[in-house]
Amino acid sequence: MLTTNPFETEDGDKLREECGVFGVYDAESASAIVALGLHALQHRGQEAAGVTSWDGHNFHTHRAMGHVAGNFDRDEIIRQLPGRVACGHVRYSTTGETALRNVQPLFAELASGGFAIAHNGNISNAMKLRRDLIRSGSIFQSTSDTETIIHLVATSTYRTLIDRFIDALRKIEGAYSLVCMTPEGMIACRDPLGIRPLVMGKLGDTTIFASETVALDVVGADFVRELEPGELVTVSDAGIRSIRPFGKVRGRPCVFEHVYFSRPDSVLAGQSVYGVRKAIGAELAAESPTDADFIIPVPDSGVPAAIGYAQASGIPFELGIIRSHYVGRTFIQPADNIRHLGVKLKHNANRALIAGKRIVLVDDSIVRGTTSLKIVQMMRDAGATEVHMRIASPPTRHSCFYGVDTPERAKLLAARMTVAEMADFINADSLAFISVDGLYRALGEVGRNAAAPTHCDACFTGDYPTPLTDHDAQTVPDQFALLDERVLA
């Protein structure tokens, strides 16, 4: 299990990114390179994976539930995906059911030919668009918001495919980083605010697009640049072309990519993700110091921030929680008593180190609080005399509608409790979160500019940078709603 945090539980107590995308143009056995790239992006989506290739005459697709390993590491699968152009996707769904029909890349035959699309993000007006399209006669084959883009392209009245594609993008709201394939070439683009990441690289004459730079590293490609917010890049035999259909836009990329989602060995906006996380830990130590014997990370996502906290505070960093890398979720059985034993099998307290000590636990976030409660109790059971908790992000008080799986707001612990109440709930001697301004300082800024924030931080502040059409419409009666729900079921 390549989960970012082994304390992630069945009840969704960790935020999870929706997807990762990877595209290759003009390479021998392009699908094999895509499969390697998807391995590096596995942390962004562990529910399903897919690869689509183009051999100059036909499109070929293989999609499967589960991890990249086991589905795309066999020669017979790669041989079924011939061609010099390919794109791939790893998925964790935030919209649409868990089913093979929702696994990407999605593919359709349009009037202009085949069209494959891989999407990272979430379209916040997808339901409204879908209802309108269904009423106009469109027939959907999935419950994924990504399919909405295909129908918008198919029904656009513009002449060329690229103009129809741009026309579709101008109708959608929310977050999207897309890699698309057509018989003419590859299209990659980011939404106007650049909420979700997308980078471009080169491997000789081969052009590569990926959600993170680490995927370029794994396949031996050189990083060229990030796609800019609102930028669309086409790659064909005629060359590489950059289009900015939305004009010059000031971006607001997701700040949680720095905190948790991106792999620590990636580079984001010119900054080492690992370095930023250490800086977050240092800021946290300055804002919320405490006397303790050891700083202990919650593995693995809390490690860089814990190192930064330890270095800034002068308190020794120690591995007080030992993770087993050989137990996956499939081991955990439904019965509560067996589930509890399974938790201890996946990660265990380093009792000889912790007994009789005052410790500070460092984690990346608190969502529902159930995981933090278990960790604190584990430390107390191991003999810790004091257990303090420090969180390397501000309190998560608002749901995300841009491609991150978050519970509804009523289930977010920070939305219904003060920090002191949260500390009581998880049974910690003290609890502190980095401030919003502290998070921005760790990114090299003086603090958050409320008038012009540089990132999307809506999960902390409630300041959503785009309309939330579908969410807002949930409170407005719709005479077609019942009919539509039956159609979409």
Side-chain angles (χ1 to χ4, degrees), residues 68-133:
V68 178
N71 285 313
F72 291 94
D73 55 1
R74 303 193 306 273
D75 289 341
E76 62 267 26
I77 296 297
I78 298 301
R79 284 197 298 268
Q80 295 171 18
L81 300 166
R84 299 186 65 85
V85 183
C87 69
H89 188 268
V90 287
R91 179 177 193 261
Y92 176 79
S93 62
T94 62
T95 63
E97 64 181 326
T98 301
L100 189 60
R101 63 175 175 161
N102 287 329
V103 179
Q104 299 183 34
L106 298 183
F107 176 79
E109 288 286 355
L110 307 183
S112 56
F115 184 82
I117 182 170
H119 170 208
N120 173 29
N122 190 60
I123 300 171
S124 57
N125 65 335
M127 288 303 299
K128 179 184 183 303
L129 292 170
R130 186 182 183 113
R131 288 186 175 114
D132 292 342
L133 287 161

Side-chain angles (χ1 to χ4, degrees), residues 21-83:
V21 298
F22 193 91
V24 172
Y25 185 85
D26 192 20
E28 190 72 30
S29 191
S31 59
I33 299 175
V34 169
L36 288 173
L38 293 182
H39 272 286
L41 300 174
Q42 185 73 87
H43 60 288
R44 299 187 74 90
Q46 299 173 52
E47 184 178 272
V51 175
T52 297
S53 69
W54 164 249
D55 64 7
H57 302 283
N58 298 294
F59 285 88
H60 308 269
T61 296
H62 181 74
R63 301 181 297 165
M65 306 304 296
H67 290 179
V68 178
N71 285 313
F72 291 94
D73 55 1
R74 303 193 306 273
D75 289 341
E76 62 267 26
I77 296 297
I78 298 301
R79 284 197 298 268
Q80 295 171 18
L81 300 166

Side-chain angles (χ1 to χ4, degrees), residues 182-361:
T182 76
E184 287 73 38
M186 182 167 282
I187 306 170
C189 67
R190 290 178 79 185
D191 65 78
L193 296 176
I195 297 174
R196 301 262 70 88
L198 191 62
V199 300
M200 180 167 64
K202 295 289 284 186
L203 180 61
D205 294 330
T206 300
T207 301
I208 297 177
F209 299 100
S211 291
E212 293 184 37
T213 61
V214 66
L216 301 179
D217 296 339
V218 165
V219 302
D222 295 322
F223 170 75
V224 175
R225 64 180 179 87
E226 291 189 1
L227 270 69
E228 296 181 7
E231 183 183 13
L232 185 153
V233 175
T234 64
V235 187
S236 68
D237 291 344
I240 300 175
R241 179 188 177 199
S242 175
I243 305 170
R244 289 174 173 78
F246 304 101
K248 192 71 173 178
V249 184
R250 182 177 57 85
R252 286 188 62 180
C254 172
V255 74
F256 220 89
E257 291 283 351
H258 291 281
V259 175
Y260 178 67
F261 296 136
S262 294
R263 262 181 49 163
D265 45 346
S266 281
V267 175
L268 192 62
Q271 294 180 287
S272 159
V273 173
Y274 178 78
V276 168
R277 290 178 187 169
K278 284 182 62 180
I280 290 173
E283 286 287 341
L284 189 55
E287 290 185 348
S288 302
T290 189
D291 290 329
D293 297 304
F294 298 131
I295 307 299
I296 293 175
V298 177
D300 288 326
S301 56
V303 171
I307 293 172
Y309 193 107
Q311 291 176 346
S313 66
I315 301 172
F317 170 95
E318 294 286 356
L319 295 179
I321 301 170
I322 305 303
R323 169 188 173 183
S324 170
H325 293 263
Y326 306 101
V327 180
R329 180 173 298 184
T330 54
F331 177 86
I332 309 303
Q333 302 299 316
D336 287 341
N337 61 327
I338 303 299
R339 186 187 302 274
H340 178 68
L341 293 176
V343 168
K344 288 193 172 185
L345 193 63
K346 291 174 72 173
H347 37 259
N348 191 45
N350 188 352
R351 187 178 296 270
L353 175 77
I354 292 169
K357 303 298 183 182
R358 303 165 300 163
I359 65 169
V360 176
L361 292 169

